[in-house]
């Protein structure tokens, strides 16, 4: 990932076409652009949330203020109805769309062939395979997949661009991941928090992470994004939150700062 | 070799509370991925309730802190009074309480001296991205000394745990009008 | 060393700066001795002029200052240093790690170069602040054994000097011990 990013690092602003080197004019084509933005997922005992901002950028330009990054997978094409899996993609938006379309097709084909919806764990494994199949020309995205597992508990899987994946309680991805992730460590997994008065030094008992109620998690997601908007120029405009429970999928939008 | 700012690693943060300020740093000194010392404080005291945090290339943390001690000592001898916190060039994070006005004060600088006055918090070092996230999420106005201590500690520890070049314990100073409390945090040792 | 050739097998890479401080050095061939002897001369000059010994902390900061000044000059010294000493007034031992960038850190144990990768983990595990000389020598033995075992090159042994409140003295060290690689 870093080696691909180096191209951007040198130019600061991410052009699709690399600048010609001094002397001989060359026309190099760089097939990726970073469209910025950030996504975030958190699970609870009976729900999962995926959220993302809706800004799309290239370099210092804002392409659009309304490009959602979270998608319903395997549902109706127009309404998303019938879906039981959600996917967020951040990085190169064109690859994100392509990946979402492919996974959506795969999940639908599964249902037609097997006569039952695809489980989240099966979909998670399949997504990893899809990503790895393009190991040497990757989908340039950081994907997060969410749904409810066989026991009805919130399930969340995060991916790197070439398909390494892991089930987690929470994950931030994209431009502001480095800002949001330590906040989540602290507020969701209670890292560095101890039970007051439980002892001194090594005897201190660490506060155990347990699934948080939906309203608390919604609050954390909004806090995480308002914070990221404040300090990262590629994040802003609107917050898209997609919440999956056994009752179905709920999608809400909140305004974020547009500066 | 990468940027000189990323060779030795380290993080520093300052926050404003109600009639108090806090400043905290990690304790790691490394050479790239190798940790040399886990007892390398980056906060220096120059007068009652005036503290300076320095991150970046360790040799310049040493040089600037020494040079500053010299300059501040010369000021004290010449003026026959202590220096109070107000902007000085070439220093990354400054925190203190003005002894005459009793006002909390923090400010930050980049390496060539551009000043950033802040009402809330200042961050610097290799974990600055992470610190921006945690501080923006945890900080609120008018925190008392104990709440401010908890806030800055949680913000720093959580931030450095997501940065490979910072961590290995932390030092926190809570500065009030006529009292300074120093605390040592163990944190993760990896 | 000059390229792959060993010039001298028992070169003393330390200089005694005053009665109770010793400095070990490594780095660029010409720079090391030149810089070490410059420091040695200046610290000794201070002792003569003021009829008092500088403390290890004072020496360390002087050394760092000179190295930092040189760092921003046209031709900087490329020298890594370890500075050990006993404070003559408090009788406390001190060890300072200084690299060629003039970063200074007081440490309980230290190494430079490849020895860092082989020895620091051993020292992390076995060192504690209260070890006596015998335990210290044993720990040093573990470190040199590890270097013999794991370093691809034969580094021709070590020269050991100890610093106490009575001054600096060289001690015998068995460099001929054969350690088989694992």
């Amino acid at each position: 990932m870093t080696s691909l990013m180096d191209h951007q690092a040198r130019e600061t602003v991410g052009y699709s076409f690399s600048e010609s080197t001094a002397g001989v004019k060359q026309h190099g084509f760089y097939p990726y652009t970073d469209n910025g933005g950030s996504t975030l997922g958190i699970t609870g005992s009976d729900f999962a949330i995926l959220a993302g901002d809706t800004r799309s950028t290239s370099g210092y330009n804002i392409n659009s203020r309304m490009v959602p990054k979270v998608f319903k997978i395997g549902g109706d094409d127009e309404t998303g109805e019938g879906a039981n899996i959600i996917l967020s993609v951040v990085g190169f938006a064109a690859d994100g769309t392509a990946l979402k379309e492919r996974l959506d097709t795969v999940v639908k084909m599964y249902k037609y062939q097997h006569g039952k919806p695809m489980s989240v764990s099966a979909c998670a494994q399949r997504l990893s395979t899809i990503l790895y199949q393009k190991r040497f020309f990757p989908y340039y995205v950081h994907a997060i997949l969410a749904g409810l597992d066989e026991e009805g508990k919130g399930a969340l899987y995060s991916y790197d661009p070439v398909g390494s994946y892991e089930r987690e309680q929470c994950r931030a991805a994209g431009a502001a991941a480095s800002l949001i992730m330590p906040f989540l460590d602290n507020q969701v997994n209670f890292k560095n928090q101890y039970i007051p008065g439980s002892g001194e030094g090594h005897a201190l008992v660490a506060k155990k992470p347990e699934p948080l109620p939906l309203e608390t998690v919604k609050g954390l997601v909004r806090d995480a994004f308002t914070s990221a908007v404040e300090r990262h120029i590629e994040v802003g405009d609107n917050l898209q939150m997609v919440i999956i429970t056994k009752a179905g999928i709920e999608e809400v939008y909140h305004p974020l700062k547009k500066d | 070799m990468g940027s000189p700012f990323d060779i030795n690693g380290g993080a520093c943060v300052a926050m404003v509370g109600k009639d108090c300020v806090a400043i905290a740093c990690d304790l790691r000194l490394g050479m790239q991925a190798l940790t040399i010392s886990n007892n390398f404080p980056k906060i220096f005291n120059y007068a009652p309730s005036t503290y300076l945090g320095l991150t970046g290339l360790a040799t310049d943390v040493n040089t600037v802190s020494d040079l500053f001690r010299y300059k501040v000592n010369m000021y004290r001898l010449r003026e026959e009074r202590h220096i109070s916190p107000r902007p000085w060039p070439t220093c990354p994070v400054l925190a203190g309480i003005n002894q005459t006005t009793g006002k909390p004060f923090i400010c930050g600088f980049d390496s060539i001296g551009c000043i950033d006055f802040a009402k809330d918090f200042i961050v610097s070092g290799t974990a600055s991205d992470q610190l921006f996230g945690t501080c923006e999420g945890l900080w609120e106005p008018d925190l008392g000394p104990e709440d401010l201590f908890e806030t800055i500690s949680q913000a720093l520890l959580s931030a450095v745990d997501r940065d490979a070049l910072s961590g290995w314990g932390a030092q926190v100073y809570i500065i009030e009008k006529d009292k300074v409390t120093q605390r040592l945090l163990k944190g993760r040792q990896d | 060393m000059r390229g792959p050739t060993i010039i001298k097998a028992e070169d003393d890479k330390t200089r005694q700066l005053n009665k109770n401080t010793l400095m070990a050095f490594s780095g660029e061939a010409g720079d090391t001795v030149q810089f070490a002897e410059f420091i040695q001369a200046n610290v000794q000059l201070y002792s003569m002029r003021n009829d008092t010994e500088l403390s290890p902390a004072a020496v360390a900061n002087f050394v760092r200052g000179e190295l930092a000044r040189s760092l921003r000059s046209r031709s900087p010294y490329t020298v890594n240093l370890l500075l050990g000493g006993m404070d003559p007034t408090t009788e406390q031992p001190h060890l300072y790690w200084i690299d060629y960038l003039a970063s200074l850190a007081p440490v309980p144990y230290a190494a430079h170069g490849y020895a860092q990768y082989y020895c620091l983990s051993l020292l992390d595990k076995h060192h504690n602040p209260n070890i006596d000389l015998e335990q210290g020598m044993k720990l040093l033995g573990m470190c040199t054994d590890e270097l013999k075992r794991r370093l691809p090159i034969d580094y021709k042994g070590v020269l050991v000097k100890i610093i106490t409140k009575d001054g600096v003295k060289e001690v015998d060290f068995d460099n001929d011990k054969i350690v088989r690689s694992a």
Side-chain angles (χ1 to χ4, degrees), chain B residues 1 7-8 29 31 34-37 39-40 57-60 62-63 66, chain C residues 61 64 68 71-72 97 99-107 116-117 120:
Chain B
M1 197 156 63
I7 295 173
N8 302 115
L29 168 73
M31 279 175 72
L34 178 76
T35 300
I36 300 297
S37 171
N39 189 18
F40 190 79
L57 192 66
T59 181
D60 291 337
N62 285 316
T63 303
D66 286 355
Chain C
N61 279 283
R64 198 206 82 80
L71 182 71
R72 308 232 188 254
W97 176 93
D99 73 356
Y100 73 101
L101 296 168
S103 311
L104 171 82
V107 284
Q116 292 179 120
Y117 299 104
L120 286 184

Side-chain angles (χ1 to χ4, degrees), chain A:
Chain A
M1 180 133 184
T2 9
S3 62
L4 290 164
M5 279 295 192
D6 281 350
H7 170 89
Q8 302 248 306
R10 262 178 279 124
E11 288 179 18
T12 321
V13 183
Y15 298 110
S16 305
F17 297 87
S18 58
E19 305 275 279
S20 60
T21 41
V24 195
K25 271 223 161 159
Q26 283 181 314
H27 192 70
F29 174 67
Y30 187 72
Y32 295 117
T33 308
D34 183 0
N35 295 109
S38 239
T39 59
L40 148 60
I42 303 178
T43 61
S45 58
D46 57 354
F47 68 90
I49 287 188
L50 281 185
D53 68 316
T54 64
R55 178 174 289 184
S56 167
T57 64
S58 59
Y60 295 128
N61 291 318
I62 295 174
N63 301 322
S64 171
R65 300 191 189 275
M66 202 54 200
V67 181
K69 292 179 183 64
V70 190
F71 306 102
K72 296 168 191 169
I73 297 295
D76 182 86
D77 278 350
E78 298 297 317
T79 61
E81 217 165 296
N84 63 337
I85 292 167
I86 48 179
L87 173 77
S88 75
V89 278
V90 65
F92 179 31
D95 275 359
T97 312
L99 180 65
K100 162 221 130 187
E101 291 293 339
R102 246 185 102 178
L103 192 69
D104 188 58
T105 311
V106 163
V107 171
K108 278 172 180 157
M109 289 304 291
Y110 182 100
K111 198 174 176 185
Y112 297 143
Q113 283 171 349
H114 297 88
K116 61 174 185 185
M118 199 178 197
S119 68
V120 191
S121 60
C123 187
Q125 177 58 56
R126 188 68 182 86
L127 178 54
S128 169
T129 314
I130 291 170
L131 288 165
Y132 196 80
Q133 275 172 351
K134 276 171 67 63
R135 173 67 178 76
F136 296 106
F137 184 26
Y139 286 118
Y140 208 72
V141 290
H142 193 323
I144 304 175
L145 189 79
L148 300 176
D149 67 9
E150 280 89 342
E151 298 168 44
K153 290 184 179 133
L156 185 136
Y157 298 85
S158 71
Y159 296 79
D160 80 350
V162 288
S164 294
Y165 80 113
E166 185 182 10
R167 187 175 170 174
E168 293 181 290
Q169 295 301 312
C170 67
R171 168 61 62 185
S178 58
L179 285 77
I180 298 174
M181 207 54 220
F183 175 70
L184 258 34
D185 288 340
N186 189 238
Q187 294 295 308
V188 178
N189 291 319
F190 301 142
K191 290 283 162 69
N192 294 116
Q193 292 200 45
Y194 295 87
I195 296 163
S198 60
E200 296 241 312
H202 289 285
L204 263 174
V205 182
K207 191 171 166 188
K208 270 210 182 63
E210 48 192 44
L212 298 168
L214 181 59
E215 286 311 308
T216 314
V217 172
K218 278 183 182 171
L220 285 175
V221 171
R222 295 189 65 171
D223 280 356
F225 272 92
T226 44
S227 299
V229 167
E230 207 65 42
R231 298 287 176 176
H232 204 112
I233 55 167
E234 291 177 1
V235 183
D237 296 327
N238 292 287
L239 170 61
Q240 178 200 18
M241 265 162 84
V242 181
I243 303 139
I244 184 161
T245 58
K246 67 170 187 284
I249 299 173
E250 185 200 0
E251 185 172 8
V252 283
Y253 287 88
H254 296 288
L256 290 171
K257 280 167 75 167
K258 294 185 165 47
D259 56 3

